[in-house]
């Protein structure tokens, strides 16, 4: 059976933690920042974890 390829877009967007959870960044933080409040931009900088429902789908994309 051949090796599975990792999805290139996924490997740029997700990283694994030491415990096996998958980290992600928030959307809407790249451009058009002038109309967003400081609080909104500050809250978008924090790293989040993907939901438990999506873990299997993302792990398939990452070929884990």
């Amino acid at each position: 059976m051949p090796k599975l390829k990792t999805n290139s877009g996924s490997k740029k967007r997700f990283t694994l933690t030491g415990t096996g959870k998958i980290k992600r960044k928030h959307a809407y933080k790249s451009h058009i920042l002038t109309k967003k409040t400081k609080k909104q931009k500050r809250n978008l900088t924090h790293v989040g974890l993907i939901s438990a429902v999506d873990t299997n789908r993302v792990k398939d994309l990452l070929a884990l």
Side-chain angles (χ1 to χ4, degrees):
M1 188 169 167
K3 291 183 179 177
L4 292 174
K5 283 191 176 181
T6 300
N7 184 284
S8 296
S10 302
K11 69 183 173 187
K12 296 169 192 171
R13 287 172 169 85
F14 302 110
T15 53
L16 276 171
T17 63
T19 56
K21 296 176 183 173
I22 302 171
K23 292 194 297 186
R24 66 170 178 86
K25 290 186 178 180
H26 284 99
Y28 309 111
K29 188 61 170 64
S30 58
H31 60 95
I32 314 176
L33 298 173
T34 53
K35 62 176 75 170
K36 295 178 180 125
T37 62
K38 288 181 182 179
K39 181 180 180 180
Q40 192 176 3
K41 289 184 277 191
R42 184 173 63 244
N43 288 335
L44 289 173
T45 59
H46 302 307
V47 175
L49 296 173
I50 65 168
S51 63
V53 179
D54 295 325
T55 50
N56 289 334
R57 186 185 312 159
V58 174
K59 283 186 177 182
D60 287 345
L61 290 171
L62 294 173
L64 298 175

